[in-house]
Amino acid sequence: MKRRIVFATGNTDKLREIREILGETDWTVLSIKDAGIRIDVEENGSTYEENALIKARAAAALAQADDIVLADDSGLEIDYLNREPGIYSARYLGEDTSYRIKNQNLIDRLQGVPDEKRTARFVCAIAAVLPGGKELTCRGVIEGRIGYEERGSGGFGYDPIFQVPELGKSTAELNEEEKNAVSHRGKALRAMREKLKEVL
Ligand code: ITT
């Protein structure tokens, strides 16, 4: 029987990307919802890794003994804004505020700021809790710049304002495969996939 990976996220956009990246493995990827698990944790860590571990541990406590439990904590760091919104990216301006508004607000806060000072990065930490309790974390980063307007309709969240200079496109202008090939989440998950192959 295929080994189960239970992914501790309530974000369906993340899950879509995760399934695509872990698609060709021997593991079946389930969301916590698919696995019948509900968690309600306070993400009160001070790093992406700590928050990812908080989510993974909470789900692992309710998962089957032989499940591999993973979680993702990620965010956008804008250098000019002292790396805001960072680990507070989902909560920035309120969890239920639309990304139209959040993105426009960030563009407004960078009004008059020249290209070279608009540097930013997406960061993703993936945490794993393995059967037996061993814990692993991996981090992936993509460097870019904040654009002057929203561009593209792919991806989610802050993608329309995140420009990748080498590609001349925002991450919302990439298709899923193209985004996963260069993204913070793609890099972190591929690193985790390799670590898991080594230890399992
Ligand atoms: P879970 O905790 O349930 O996984 P969440 O959306 O609350 O879902 P995070 O706390 O990790 O997840 O917040 C990550 C936020 O960072 C996310 O909601 C987006 O605003 C932003 N973000 C992360 N990855 C992104 C990406 O690939 N493209 C655009 N925005 C991204």
Side-chain angles (χ1 to χ4, degrees), residues 101-172:
I101 293 174
K102 297 191 198 205
N103 285 335
Q104 191 55 52
N105 169 272
L106 291 172
I107 291 170
D108 291 347
R109 290 181 69 191
L110 265 64
Q111 204 180 6
V113 177
D115 272 359
E116 66 276 13
K117 290 190 178 163
R118 302 177 77 92
T119 51
R121 67 200 57 74
F122 275 128
V123 181
C124 174
I126 301 290
V129 177
L130 307 185
K134 186 177 165 66
E135 297 179 341
L136 305 167
T137 60
C138 290
R139 177 181 277 228
V141 176
I142 176 174
E143 299 286 342
R145 289 186 180 183
I146 301 303
Y148 295 86
E149 61 193 4
E150 285 197 304
R151 286 219 190 146
S153 54
F156 65 98
Y158 300 103
D159 280 325
I161 61 166
F162 189 83
Q163 292 285 326
V164 186
E166 298 79 37
L167 303 176
K169 287 181 177 174
S170 79
T171 40

Coordinates of all heavy atoms in Angstrom, one line a residue, residues 101-172:
I101 N -6.7 44.2 -2.1 CA -6.4 45.3 -1.1 C -5.0 45.2 -0.5 O -4.3 46.2 -0.5 CB -7.5 45.3 -0.1 CG1 -8.9 45.7 -0.7 CG2 -7.2 46.3 1.1 CD1 -10.1 45.6 0.2
K102 N -4.6 44.0 -0.1 CA -3.3 43.9 0.5 C -2.2 44.2 -0.5 O -1.3 44.9 -0.2 CB -3.1 42.4 0.9 CG -4.0 41.9 2.0 CD -3.5 40.6 2.5 CE -4.6 39.8 3.3 NZ -4.1 38.9 4.3
N103 N -2.4 43.8 -1.8 CA -1.4 44.0 -2.8 C -1.3 45.5 -3.1 O -0.2 46.1 -3.2 CB -1.7 43.2 -4.1 CG -1.3 41.7 -3.9 OD1 -0.5 41.4 -3.0 ND2 -2.0 40.9 -4.6
Q104 N -2.5 46.1 -3.2 CA -2.5 47.6 -3.6 C -1.8 48.4 -2.4 O -1.1 49.3 -2.6 CB -3.9 48.1 -3.8 CG -4.0 49.5 -4.4 CD -3.1 49.6 -5.7 OE1 -3.3 48.8 -6.6 NE2 -2.2 50.6 -5.7
N105 N -2.1 47.9 -1.2 CA -1.5 48.6 0.0 C 0.0 48.6 -0.1 O 0.7 49.6 0.2 CB -2.1 48.0 1.3 CG -1.4 48.4 2.5 OD1 -0.3 47.8 2.9 ND2 -1.8 49.5 3.1
L106 N 0.5 47.4 -0.4 CA 2.0 47.3 -0.4 C 2.6 48.1 -1.6 O 3.6 48.8 -1.4 CB 2.4 45.8 -0.6 CG 2.1 44.9 0.7 CD1 2.3 43.5 0.4 CD2 2.9 45.4 1.9
I107 N 1.9 48.1 -2.7 CA 2.3 49.0 -3.9 C 2.3 50.4 -3.4 O 3.3 51.2 -3.7 CB 1.4 48.8 -5.1 CG1 1.6 47.4 -5.7 CG2 1.7 49.8 -6.1 CD1 0.6 47.0 -6.7
D108 N 1.3 50.8 -2.7 CA 1.2 52.2 -2.2 C 2.3 52.6 -1.3 O 2.9 53.7 -1.3 CB -0.1 52.5 -1.6 CG -1.3 52.4 -2.5 OD1 -1.1 52.5 -3.8 OD2 -2.5 52.4 -2.1
R109 N 2.7 51.6 -0.4 CA 3.7 51.9 0.6 C 5.1 52.0 -0.1 O 6.0 52.5 0.5 CB 3.7 50.8 1.7 CG 2.5 50.8 2.6 CD 2.6 49.8 3.6 NE 3.6 50.0 4.6 CZ 4.0 49.1 5.5 NH1 3.4 47.9 5.5 NH2 5.0 49.3 6.4
L110 N 5.2 51.5 -1.3 CA 6.4 51.6 -2.1 C 6.4 52.7 -3.1 O 7.2 52.7 -4.0 CB 6.8 50.2 -2.7 CG 7.7 49.3 -1.9 CD1 7.1 48.9 -0.6 CD2 8.1 48.1 -2.7
Q111 N 5.4 53.6 -3.0 CA 5.3 54.6 -4.0 C 6.6 55.5 -4.0 O 7.1 55.9 -3.0 CB 4.1 55.5 -3.7 CG 3.6 56.2 -4.9 CD 2.5 57.1 -4.6 OE1 2.1 57.3 -3.5 NE2 1.9 57.7 -5.7
G112 N 7.1 55.7 -5.2 CA 8.3 56.5 -5.4 C 9.6 55.8 -5.1 O 10.7 56.4 -5.2
V113 N 9.5 54.5 -4.7 CA 10.7 53.7 -4.4 C 11.3 53.1 -5.7 O 10.5 52.5 -6.4 CB 10.4 52.6 -3.4 CG1 11.6 51.7 -3.1 CG2 9.9 53.2 -2.1
P114 N 12.6 53.4 -6.0 CA 13.1 53.0 -7.3 C 13.3 51.4 -7.3 O 13.4 50.8 -6.3 CB 14.4 53.7 -7.4 CG 14.8 54.0 -6.0 CD 13.6 54.1 -5.2
D115 N 13.4 50.9 -8.6 CA 13.6 49.5 -8.8 C 14.6 48.8 -7.9 O 14.2 47.8 -7.3 CB 14.2 49.3 -10.2 CG 13.1 49.2 -11.3 OD1 11.9 49.3 -10.9 OD2 13.4 49.1 -12.5
E116 N 15.8 49.4 -7.8 CA 16.8 48.7 -7.0 C 16.5 48.5 -5.5 O 17.1 47.7 -4.8 CB 18.2 49.3 -7.3 CG 18.4 50.7 -6.8 CD 17.9 51.8 -7.7 OE1 17.2 51.5 -8.7 OE2 18.3 53.0 -7.5
K117 N 15.5 49.3 -5.0 CA 15.2 49.2 -3.6 C 13.9 48.5 -3.4 O 13.3 48.5 -2.3 CB 15.1 50.6 -3.0 CG 16.4 51.3 -2.9 CD 16.2 52.6 -2.1 CE 17.6 53.3 -1.9 NZ 17.4 54.7 -1.5
R118 N 13.4 47.9 -4.5 CA 12.1 47.1 -4.4 C 12.3 45.6 -4.2 O 11.4 44.8 -4.4 CB 11.2 47.4 -5.6 CG 10.9 48.9 -5.8 CD 10.2 49.1 -7.1 NE 8.7 48.8 -6.9 CZ 7.8 49.7 -6.6 NH1 8.1 50.9 -6.3 NH2 6.6 49.3 -6.5
T119 N 13.5 45.3 -3.7 CA 13.8 43.9 -3.6 C 13.0 43.2 -2.6 O 12.6 43.7 -1.5 CB 15.3 43.7 -3.3 OG1 15.6 44.5 -2.1 CG2 16.2 44.1 -4.4
A120 N 12.7 41.9 -2.8 CA 11.8 41.1 -2.0 C 12.1 39.6 -2.2 O 12.7 39.3 -3.2 CB 10.3 41.4 -2.3
R121 N 11.5 38.8 -1.3 CA 11.7 37.4 -1.5 C 10.4 36.7 -0.9 O 9.9 37.1 0.1 CB 13.0 36.8 -0.9 CG 13.0 36.8 0.6 CD 14.5 36.7 1.1 NE 15.3 37.8 0.5 CZ 15.2 39.1 0.9 NH1 14.5 39.5 1.8 NH2 16.0 40.0 0.3
F122 N 10.1 35.5 -1.5 CA 9.2 34.6 -0.9 C 10.0 33.6 -0.2 O 11.0 33.1 -0.8 CB 8.4 33.9 -2.0 CG 7.1 34.6 -2.4 CD1 6.9 34.8 -3.8 CD2 6.2 35.1 -1.5 CE1 5.7 35.4 -4.3 CE2 5.0 35.7 -2.0 CZ 4.8 35.9 -3.4
V123 N 9.6 33.2 1.0 CA 10.3 32.2 1.8 C 9.3 31.1 2.1 O 8.2 31.4 2.4 CB 10.9 32.8 3.1 CG1 11.6 31.7 3.9 CG2 11.8 34.0 2.8
C124 N 9.8 29.9 2.1 CA 8.9 28.8 2.5 C 9.7 27.8 3.3 O 10.8 27.4 3.0 CB 8.4 28.0 1.2 SG 7.4 26.5 1.6
A125 N 9.1 27.5 4.5 CA 9.7 26.4 5.3 C 8.7 25.2 5.3 O 7.5 25.4 5.5 CB 9.9 26.8 6.8
I126 N 9.2 24.1 5.0 CA 8.4 22.8 5.1 C 8.9 22.0 6.3 O 10.2 21.8 6.5 CB 8.6 22.0 3.9 CG1 8.2 22.7 2.6 CG2 7.8 20.6 4.0 CD1 6.7 22.9 2.5
A127 N 8.0 21.6 7.2 CA 8.4 20.8 8.4 C 7.8 19.4 8.2 O 6.7 19.3 7.6 CB 7.9 21.4 9.7
A128 N 8.5 18.4 8.7 CA 8.0 17.1 8.7 C 8.0 16.5 10.1 O 9.0 16.7 10.8 CB 8.8 16.2 7.7
V129 N 7.0 15.8 10.4 CA 7.0 14.9 11.6 C 6.9 13.5 11.1 O 5.8 13.2 10.5 CB 6.0 15.3 12.7 CG1 6.0 14.3 13.8 CG2 6.1 16.7 13.1
L130 N 7.9 12.7 11.4 CA 7.9 11.3 10.8 C 7.3 10.3 11.9 O 7.2 10.6 13.1 CB 9.3 10.9 10.5 CG 10.1 11.8 9.6 CD1 11.5 11.2 9.3 CD2 9.4 12.1 8.3
P131 N 6.8 9.1 11.4 CA 6.4 8.1 12.3 C 7.5 7.9 13.3 O 8.7 7.7 12.9 CB 6.1 6.9 11.4 CG 5.9 7.5 10.1 CD 6.7 8.7 10.0
G132 N 7.3 7.9 14.6 CA 8.3 7.7 15.5 C 8.8 9.1 16.1 O 9.5 9.1 17.1
G133 N 8.3 10.2 15.5 CA 8.5 11.5 16.1 C 9.7 12.3 15.6 O 9.8 13.5 16.0
K134 N 10.6 11.7 14.7 CA 11.7 12.5 14.2 C 11.2 13.7 13.4 O 10.2 13.6 12.7 CB 12.5 11.6 13.3 CG 13.8 12.3 12.8 CD 14.7 11.3 12.0 CE 15.8 11.9 11.2 NZ 16.8 12.5 12.0
E135 N 11.8 14.9 13.6 CA 11.4 16.1 12.9 C 12.5 16.6 11.9 O 13.6 16.5 12.2 CB 11.1 17.2 13.9 CG 10.0 16.8 14.8 CD 9.6 17.8 15.9 OE1 10.5 18.7 16.2 OE2 8.5 17.8 16.5
L136 N 12.0 17.1 10.8 CA 12.9 17.7 9.8 C 12.3 19.0 9.3 O 11.1 19.2 9.3 CB 12.9 16.8 8.5 CG 13.3 15.3 8.7 CD1 13.0 14.6 7.4 CD2 14.8 15.2 9.0
T137 N 13.2 19.9 8.9 CA 12.7 21.2 8.2 C 13.6 21.4 7.0 O 14.8 21.1 7.0 CB 12.7 22.4 9.1 OG1 14.1 22.7 9.5 CG2 11.8 22.3 10.3
C138 N 13.0 22.1 6.0 CA 13.7 22.5 4.8 C 13.2 23.9 4.4 O 12.0 24.2 4.6 CB 13.4 21.6 3.6 SG 14.1 20.0 3.7
R139 N 14.1 24.7 3.9 CA 13.7 26.1 3.5 C 14.0 26.3 2.0 O 15.0 25.9 1.5 CB 14.5 27.1 4.3 CG 14.2 28.5 4.0 CD 15.0 29.5 4.8 NE 14.4 29.7 6.1 CZ 14.2 31.0 6.7 NH1 14.6 32.0 6.0 NH2 13.6 31.1 7.8
G140 N 13.1 27.0 1.3 CA 13.3 27.5 0.0 C 13.0 28.9 -0.2 O 12.2 29.5 0.5
V141 N 13.8 29.6 -1.1 CA 13.6 31.1 -1.2 C 13.6 31.4 -2.7 O 14.3 30.7 -3.5 CB 14.8 31.8 -0.6 CG1 14.8 33.3 -0.8 CG2 14.9 31.5 0.9
I142 N 12.8 32.4 -3.1 CA 13.0 32.9 -4.5 C 13.1 34.5 -4.3 O 12.3 35.1 -3.6 CB 11.8 32.6 -5.4 CG1 11.9 33.3 -6.7 CG2 10.4 32.8 -4.8 CD1 10.9 32.9 -7.8
E143 N 14.1 35.0 -5.0 CA 14.3 36.5 -4.9 C 13.6 37.2 -6.0 O 13.5 36.6 -7.1 CB 15.9 36.8 -5.0 CG 16.7 36.1 -3.9 CD 16.6 36.9 -2.6 OE1 16.1 38.0 -2.5 OE2 17.0 36.2 -1.5
G144 N 13.1 38.4 -5.8 CA 12.4 39.1 -6.8 C 12.3 40.6 -6.4 O 13.0 41.1 -5.5
R145 N 11.3 41.2 -7.0 CA 11.1 42.7 -6.8 C 9.6 42.9 -6.8 O 8.9 42.3 -7.5 CB 11.7 43.5 -7.8 CG 13.2 43.5 -7.7 CD 13.8 44.5 -8.7 NE 15.3 44.5 -8.6 CZ 16.1 45.3 -9.2 NH1 15.7 46.1 -10.1 NH2 17.4 45.2 -9.0
I146 N 9.2 43.9 -6.0 CA 7.8 44.3 -6.0 C 7.5 45.2 -7.2 O 8.2 46.2 -7.4 CB 7.4 45.0 -4.6 CG1 7.7 44.1 -3.4 CG2 5.9 45.4 -4.7 CD1 7.0 42.8 -3.4
G147 N 6.4 44.8 -7.9 CA 6.1 45.5 -9.1 C 5.3 46.8 -8.8 O 5.1 47.2 -7.7
Y148 N 4.9 47.5 -9.9 CA 4.3 48.8 -9.8 C 2.7 48.6 -9.9 O 2.0 49.6 -9.7 CB 4.8 49.8 -10.8 CG 6.3 50.1 -10.6 CD1 7.3 49.3 -11.1 CD2 6.6 51.2 -9.8 CE1 8.6 49.6 -10.9 CE2 8.0 51.5 -9.6 CZ 8.9 50.7 -10.1 OH 10.3 51.0 -9.9
E149 N 2.3 47.4 -10.3 CA 0.9 47.1 -10.4 C 0.8 45.6 -10.4 O 1.7 44.9 -10.5 CB 0.4 47.6 -11.8 CG 1.2 46.9 -12.9 CD 1.0 47.5 -14.3 OE1 0.3 48.6 -14.4 OE2 1.5 46.9 -15.2
E150 N -0.5 45.1 -10.2 CA -0.7 43.7 -10.2 C -0.6 43.2 -11.6 O -1.1 43.8 -12.5 CB -2.1 43.4 -9.6 CG -2.2 43.5 -8.1 CD -3.5 42.8 -7.6 OE1 -4.6 43.1 -8.1 OE2 -3.3 42.0 -6.7
R151 N 0.0 42.0 -11.8 CA 0.1 41.4 -13.1 C -0.2 39.9 -13.0 O 0.4 39.2 -12.2 CB 1.5 41.6 -13.6 CG 1.9 43.0 -14.0 CD 2.7 42.9 -15.3 NE 3.2 44.2 -15.6 CZ 4.4 44.5 -16.1 NH1 5.2 43.5 -16.4 NH2 4.8 45.7 -16.4
G152 N -1.0 39.4 -13.9 CA -1.2 38.0 -14.0 C -2.4 37.5 -13.1 O -2.8 38.2 -12.2
S153 N -2.9 36.4 -13.5 CA -4.1 35.8 -12.8 C -3.8 34.4 -12.2 O -4.7 33.8 -11.7 CB -5.3 35.8 -13.7 OG -5.0 35.1 -14.9
G154 N -2.6 33.9 -12.4 CA -2.3 32.6 -11.8 C -1.9 32.7 -10.4 O -1.9 33.8 -9.8
G155 N -1.5 31.6 -9.8 CA -1.0 31.6 -8.4 C -2.0 32.0 -7.4 O -3.2 31.8 -7.6
F156 N -1.6 32.7 -6.4 CA -2.5 33.2 -5.3 C -1.8 34.3 -4.5 O -0.6 34.6 -4.8 CB -2.9 32.0 -4.4 CG -1.8 31.4 -3.6 CD1 -1.6 31.7 -2.3 CD2 -1.0 30.4 -4.2 CE1 -0.6 31.2 -1.5 CE2 0.0 29.9 -3.4 CZ 0.2 30.2 -2.1
G157 N -2.5 34.8 -3.5 CA -1.9 35.7 -2.6 C -1.1 36.9 -3.2 O -1.7 37.6 -4.0
Y158 N 0.2 37.0 -2.9 CA 1.0 38.1 -3.3 C 1.6 37.9 -4.7 O 2.4 38.8 -5.2 CB 2.1 38.4 -2.3 CG 1.5 38.8 -0.9 CD1 1.5 37.9 0.1 CD2 1.0 40.1 -0.7 CE1 1.0 38.2 1.4 CE2 0.4 40.4 0.6 CZ 0.5 39.5 1.6 OH 0.0 39.8 2.8
D159 N 1.3 36.8 -5.4 CA 1.9 36.5 -6.6 C 1.8 37.7 -7.7 O 2.8 37.9 -8.4 CB 1.4 35.2 -7.3 CG 2.0 34.0 -6.6 OD1 3.2 34.0 -6.3 OD2 1.3 33.0 -6.5
P160 N 0.7 38.4 -7.8 CA 0.6 39.4 -8.8 C 1.5 40.6 -8.7 O 1.8 41.3 -9.7 CB -0.9 39.9 -8.7 CG -1.6 38.7 -8.1 CD -0.6 38.1 -7.1
I161 N 2.1 40.8 -7.5 CA 3.0 41.9 -7.3 C 4.5 41.4 -7.2 O 5.4 42.3 -7.0 CB 2.6 42.8 -6.1 CG1 2.7 42.0 -4.8 CG2 1.3 43.5 -6.3 CD1 2.7 42.9 -3.5
F162 N 4.7 40.1 -7.3 CA 6.1 39.6 -7.1 C 6.7 39.3 -8.5 O 6.3 38.4 -9.2 CB 6.0 38.3 -6.3 CG 7.4 37.9 -5.9 CD1 8.1 38.4 -4.8 CD2 8.1 36.9 -6.6 CE1 9.4 38.0 -4.5 CE2 9.3 36.5 -6.3 CZ 10.0 37.0 -5.2
Q163 N 7.6 40.2 -8.9 CA 8.2 40.1 -10.2 C 9.5 39.3 -10.1 O 10.3 39.5 -9.2 CB 8.6 41.5 -10.7 CG 7.4 42.4 -11.1 CD 6.8 42.0 -12.4 OE1 7.4 41.5 -13.3 NE2 5.5 42.1 -12.5
V164 N 9.7 38.4 -11.0 CA 11.0 37.6 -11.1 C 11.8 38.3 -12.2 O 11.5 38.1 -13.4 CB 10.7 36.1 -11.4 CG1 12.0 35.4 -11.3 CG2 9.7 35.6 -10.4
P165 N 12.9 39.0 -11.9 CA 13.6 39.8 -12.9 C 14.1 38.9 -14.0 O 14.0 39.3 -15.2 CB 14.8 40.4 -12.1 CG 14.3 40.5 -10.7 CD 13.4 39.3 -10.5
E166 N 14.6 37.7 -13.7 CA 15.2 36.8 -14.8 C 14.2 36.4 -15.8 O 14.5 36.1 -16.9 CB 15.8 35.5 -14.2 CG 17.0 35.7 -13.2 CD 16.5 36.1 -11.8 OE1 15.5 35.6 -11.4 OE2 17.2 37.0 -11.2
L167 N 12.9 36.3 -15.4 CA 11.8 35.9 -16.3 C 11.1 37.1 -16.8 O 10.3 36.9 -17.8 CB 10.9 34.9 -15.5 CG 11.5 33.7 -14.9 CD1 10.5 32.9 -14.1 CD2 12.2 32.8 -15.9
G168 N 11.2 38.2 -16.3 CA 10.5 39.4 -16.7 C 9.0 39.2 -16.5 O 8.1 39.8 -17.2
K169 N 8.6 38.4 -15.5 CA 7.2 38.1 -15.3 C 6.9 38.1 -13.8 O 7.9 37.8 -13.0 CB 6.8 36.8 -15.8 CG 6.7 36.7 -17.3 CD 6.3 35.3 -17.7 CE 6.1 35.2 -19.2 NZ 5.9 33.8 -19.6
S170 N 5.7 38.3 -13.4 CA 5.3 38.1 -12.0 C 5.0 36.6 -11.8 O 4.8 35.9 -12.8 CB 4.1 38.9 -11.6 OG 2.9 38.2 -12.1
T171 N 5.1 36.1 -10.6 CA 4.8 34.7 -10.4 C 3.3 34.3 -10.7 O 3.0 33.2 -10.8 CB 5.2 34.2 -8.9 OG1 4.8 35.2 -8.0 CG2 6.7 34.0 -8.8
A172 N 2.5 35.4 -10.8 CA 1.1 35.1 -11.2 C 1.0 35.0 -12.7 O -0.1 34.6 -13.2 CB 0.2 36.2 -10.7

